[in-house]
Each structure stands twice: as C-alpha cells, then as structure tokens.
Amino acid sequence: MTNTRFKPGLTLTVAVGLAFVILLGLGTWQAQKIGPKTELIESINAGLSAEPIELSVHVDDPAALAYRRVVFEGDAIDVAPLRLFGTNLDGRPGYYLYKPVVRDFGRAVFVNFGWIPMELADEPVLPVGPVTLSGVLVPSATPGSFSVTNDLAKRDWFTADVFEMGQYFGYGAKDHYHFRIFADAIETEGRYPLGGQLRVDIPNDHLEYMLTWYGIALALLGVYIAYGFRKARDS
C-alpha cells in the first residue's frame, strides 16, 4: 500500500540516499583520523621534552626520530650559509641560516643555526670548525603546490629540501643525512641568530570536521523528510 502522507519522489530519494552515504563516509573518515593524529602530537611533544639522544651513525628511517632531541659532534664547514625565508616564533619574517656540519666519518648534517630578521645589515658569523650541537631532528621539507621554487643559484630559499641543499653545498645523496637539525641557541658575538625557533603546528581538527559532515548528513535527511511530507500534503 502506497504511503500517501510521504511522497518525496524516486529521483530525489536516490539523490539524497547517495549524498547521505557520501556524507557519512566523509564523517567516518575524519573520525578514523582523530586517534592517529592525537598519538602523533603526543609523540612529538614527548620527543621535544625528552633528554637529547646521541645522533646515530646510520638513520635509515628519519621519520621514526622526527622531532626527537639529539646531540652530536662535527666540523662546521667554513662556507656561506644559505638563507631560507621563514618566520620566527613571534611571526616576524626573516631568514633561517643553514650550513653543513660534517661528522668525523664524513657524512654531513644540514643544520639550521637560527633565525635572523630581514633587515639585519650584517649576517652573523656562524661557528667554524669542531662543534658540539644539540637540537631537534626534523624531516626534509617538500614543496607544496603553491610553494615558491628554490633557485639553487641564489642564497634565498623557501623550502628546506635537504636533497637540494646537498646539491647546493656539493654533497651527493649518500654523503649527507636525509633530515635537518634545528639547533638550539648557540653562542655568538651578537644577539643573532636566534636558535630554538622550531614551530610545530600540526592541526588536529578532525573532530570538528567529523561533526560537520555528520551534521550536514542529518540536516539533509531532515530536509528530505520534511519535503516528502509537504509534497504529499500539497498533492
């Protein structure tokens, strides 16, 4: 027997059914990301607050040590640092200074020695020769769809791609680590560079997205039901 009080129509029912399933799927997908993202943030915070560990000779999986505090020794090479555009923890634009520190077995680590403001007239003198450094291990950056391309012929960079850094400083892929180190503050004659300027900004808004998708699904269902009853009354 046909329900004369509810007539949404077959076409609308199919369309709403498909949209409802898609919205539920999107909400569920976001729900599944909440736990892993929370664990990642907790792991990063734990690594940043832990005591530094000795940097291993071989690091086959840099992701496993991402955002861990490390300490190591090496020779800071006497070369002009490359300048990578970025903001400090206060949001002020400037440059991060990178240059290689070569360990006693010959492998280079690309170290971020700190941040300087754009208007700084004289670039600070960075350490040269034997150094002992502590800092945070950070994976190589990859450019996004709208990132400005690095120009290896210049010293101004926009993406901290360690493989391009290797090219710039003349190291093969096997001659340097495939990550970088954000060094803690170092002693220099002036105030700059500012060390310890690592910003870890990993959003965990999957709960909000989940509620949004589920909310849209429920709203769609409510509108569909209301329309079906109203159409039946009007007919």
Side-chain angles (χ1 to χ4, degrees):
M1 179 178 179
T2 304
N3 187 348
T4 58
R5 294 181 299 174
F6 184 69
K7 293 183 177 180
L10 178 60
T11 302
L12 179 62
T13 299
V14 172
V16 169
L18 289 174
F20 187 74
V21 170
I22 292 173
L23 290 169
L24 287 181
L26 290 171
T28 302
W29 178 57
Q30 292 294 336
Q32 293 171 342
K33 287 179 170 289
I34 295 174
K37 182 61 72 65
T38 301
E39 292 177 1
L40 173 62
I41 293 174
E42 291 176 349
S43 175
I44 290 174
N45 290 333
L48 291 174
S49 60
E51 289 295 320
I53 61 174
E54 184 74 25
L55 181 61
S56 302
V57 174
H58 298 288
V59 181
D60 296 325
D61 183 13
L65 291 177
Y67 302 103
R68 288 293 305 271
R69 298 190 59 79
V70 297
V71 61
F72 67 98
E73 297 179 351
D75 283 322
I77 303 304
D78 187 10
V79 295
L82 67 83
R83 301 184 303 174
L84 186 139
F85 178 79
T87 56
N88 66 4
L89 293 180
D90 295 326
R92 187 179 172 188
Y95 299 100
Y96 286 97
L97 303 181
Y98 280 85
K99 76 171 187 173
V101 174
V102 178
R103 306 189 71 186
D104 56 5
F105 47 85
R107 183 170 294 173
V109 185
F110 297 127
V111 176
N112 178 337
F113 279 90
W115 176 91
I116 61 172
M118 298 182 70
E119 65 274 14
L120 189 66
D122 297 321
E123 193 171 274
V125 178
L126 300 181
V128 175
V131 291
T132 298
L133 296 173
S134 63
V136 180
L137 188 153
V138 181
S140 174
T142 55
S145 302
F146 301 100
S147 299
V148 180
T149 303
N150 293 331
D151 187 341
L152 303 191
K154 298 181 180 179
R155 292 176 61 203
D156 291 347
W157 287 45
F158 301 91
T159 303
D161 184 327
V162 297
F163 299 98
E164 289 192 344
M165 289 184 185
Q167 290 180 259
Y168 179 81
F169 287 114
Y171 294 95
K174 295 182 179 180
D175 299 324
H176 66 81
Y177 286 99
H178 296 173
F179 53 80
R180 52 204 166 114
I181 300 293
F182 269 67
D184 296 330
I186 58 174
E187 292 186 6
T188 57
E189 295 181 359
R191 178 186 176 191
Y192 297 107
L194 294 180
Q197 296 294 298
L198 175 64
R199 175 185 286 108
V200 181
D201 186 12
I202 301 179
N204 189 14
D205 46 14
H206 297 295
L207 177 61
E208 290 81 357
Y209 284 127
M210 178 196 74
L211 295 176
T212 298
W213 289 122
Y214 283 161
I216 294 174
L218 290 175
L220 176 65
L221 184 61
V223 171
Y224 165 75
I225 293 173
Y227 174 80
F229 283 119
R230 180 175 178 179
K231 184 178 180 182
R233 289 196 305 269
D234 292 345
S235 61

